[in-house]
Structure formats: structure tokens, C-alpha cells
């Protein structure tokens, strides 16, 4: 190794930037401008939207993310129980009384169930979900200790939101104020 190569290596090891002079100047220029960086909340909701695409029900694409301390602890989407027929394969199984498909398990139940199966505490967590919870899912949310629910769109039946609010769970519609994910 040449003497100059050794000096450069030593500088990098002491914390000097490994960037070229031109890169350093460009980096320093950008320090004055605001970073175009999405908020953590935007990232969590975007993750829920991506997981919604995994759903197997033909009627609804819903995804959920459970987070605690800003970190994802569980993910879920609308889908049939393990080993059961999927709507994609057999069609939706409609129930006239609830006016919906009963073949798939709701995203919120799946996200809570995954955490339970693997011993992950949901106490004090926040749920990001692409569609607000139905009444049944709101009851599971209450039982699991989730403290806050953030939803992207309202479900046609608002009794789930009402039940959560009545039981002092924070419920918020997601308004992306923290940067667009491109």
C-alpha cells in the first residue's frame, strides 16, 4: 500500500468521510435544504397498503400493521385461515345477515392472531389499518390491549369506531402530513 493510500485509510478509520471532495461539497450543500423524507406514520400506513395486496378475498383488500415504539411487531391482511379455501379459489362465501363474506378472516384479527401465536405482546401498541374496524374486530382490539387505531378509509358500518371510542381507544383517520412515499 502506498503512503498516500495508508494516510487515506487512517483518515477514514478516524471518522473522516470516505466521500470524494466533490461528493462532500454536494452533501454539504444539501444540508441546508429540508429532507424529502416520509414520516414513520406514512411508512407504517404504506406498509399496511402493501400487505392489503396479499389479501385473498375478492370483495375487500385490507391490510394491518401493529407497531410498538415505532417498530413493526405484526402484519396482517384479509385471508382465509391456514389450510382453508380462499375466496380467490372458491369464490366468496356470503352471509345475508352480515351482508359480507365469511370465508376470510379480517385483517385486524389476523394481525392480532399472528402476534398471539408467536408470543408478541400487543399491549399499548398502535394499529395501522387500511379500512376502519368492524364491530367484531373492535372487540378483539379492545381485548388485545391496543391503545390506538389509525385508519385510511372508513368502513360502511361505523359501529367499530364508535365501540373503540366509547372504550377510550384513540381512533384517528390517517391524514398524510408527513411526506408522500414515492
Amino acid at each position: 500500500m502506498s503512503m498516500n493510500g495508508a494516510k487515506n485509510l487512517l483518515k477514514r478509520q478516524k471518522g473522516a468521510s470516505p466521500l470524494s471532495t466533490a461528493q462532500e461539497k454536494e452533501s454539504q450543500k444539501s444540508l441546508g435544504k429540508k429532507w424529502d423524507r416520509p414520516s414513520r406514520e406514512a411508512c407504517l400506513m404504506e406498509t399496511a397498503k402493501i400487505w392489503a395486496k396479499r389479501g385473498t378475498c375478492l370483495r375487500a383488500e385490507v391490510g394491518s400493521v401493529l407497531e410498538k415504539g415505532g417498530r413493526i411487531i405484526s402484519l396482517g391482511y384479509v385471508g382465509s385461515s391456514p389450510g382453508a379455501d380462499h375466496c380467490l379459489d372458491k369464490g366468496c362465501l356470503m352471509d345475508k345477515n352480515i351482508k359480507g363474506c365469511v370465508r376470510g378472516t379480517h385483517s385486524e384479527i389476523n394481525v392480532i392472531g399472528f402476534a398471539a401465536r408467536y408470543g408478541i405482546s400487543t399491549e399499548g401498541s398502535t394499529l395501522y389499518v387500511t379500512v376502519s374496524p368492524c364491530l367484531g374486530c373492535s372487540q378483539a382490539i379492545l381485548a388485545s390491549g391496543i391503545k390506538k387505531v389509525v385508519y385510511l378509509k372508513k368502513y360502511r358500518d361505523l359501529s367499530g369506531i364508535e365501540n373503540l371510542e366509547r372504550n377510550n381507544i384513540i381512533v384517528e383517520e390517517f391524514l398524510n402530513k408527513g411526506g408522500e412515499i414515492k
Side-chain angles (χ1 to χ4, degrees):
M1 181 181 295
S2 72
M3 184 58 97
N4 283 342
K7 285 181 183 176
N8 287 337
L9 180 62
L10 187 58
K11 281 182 186 175
R12 276 185 287 213
Q13 289 174 344
K14 288 184 177 179
S17 172
L19 299 174
S20 71
T21 304
Q23 288 173 317
E24 277 189 56
K25 285 181 182 175
E26 190 58 37
S27 177
Q28 288 172 359
K29 282 182 195 174
S30 70
L31 289 177
K33 80 171 200 176
K34 186 179 177 194
W35 291 93
D36 186 20
R37 183 174 179 224
S39 67
R40 191 175 300 266
E41 293 78 17
C43 291
L44 291 165
M45 187 57 79
E46 194 68 24
T47 303
K49 288 164 57 177
I50 290 167
W51 276 82
K53 294 175 183 180
R54 293 263 317 136
T56 61
C57 183
L58 300 170
R59 297 188 74 235
E61 278 190 357
V62 182
S64 295
V65 173
L66 258 181
E67 70 86 19
K68 190 188 281 188
R71 302 292 183 209
I72 294 171
I73 60 171
S74 187
L75 301 159
Y77 55 88
V78 176
S80 298
S81 301
D85 292 330
H86 293 285
C87 298
L88 290 174
D89 301 324
K90 301 284 184 173
C92 290
L93 181 60
M94 300 302 291
D95 183 305
K96 293 176 190 173
N97 294 326
I98 66 164
K99 299 178 184 166
C101 177
V102 294
R103 189 180 302 279
T105 303
H106 287 193
S107 175
E108 301 92 328
I109 301 300
N110 278 327
V111 79
I112 293 166
F114 179 87
R117 175 182 254 180
Y118 292 98
I120 302 167
S121 172
T122 58
E123 184 70 36
S125 63
T126 298
L127 175 67
Y128 286 80
V129 62
T130 57
V131 178
S132 65
C134 68
L135 181 60
C137 288
S138 75
Q139 293 166 331
I141 289 166
L142 289 169
S144 68
I146 293 170
K147 67 172 182 166
K148 182 177 177 181
V149 174
V150 181
Y151 66 89
L152 187 60
K153 298 175 191 167
K154 283 185 181 170
Y155 182 57
R156 59 184 154 80
D157 177 1
L158 301 180
S159 61
I161 291 175
E162 293 163 359
N163 186 41
L164 293 170
E165 290 176 337
R166 189 171 44 252
N167 285 283
N168 301 314
I169 301 299
I170 300 165
V171 180
E172 295 177 358
E173 182 176 5
F174 179 73
L175 303 171
N176 190 6
K177 296 178 184 170
E180 196 65 32
I181 300 210
K182 296 170 183 148

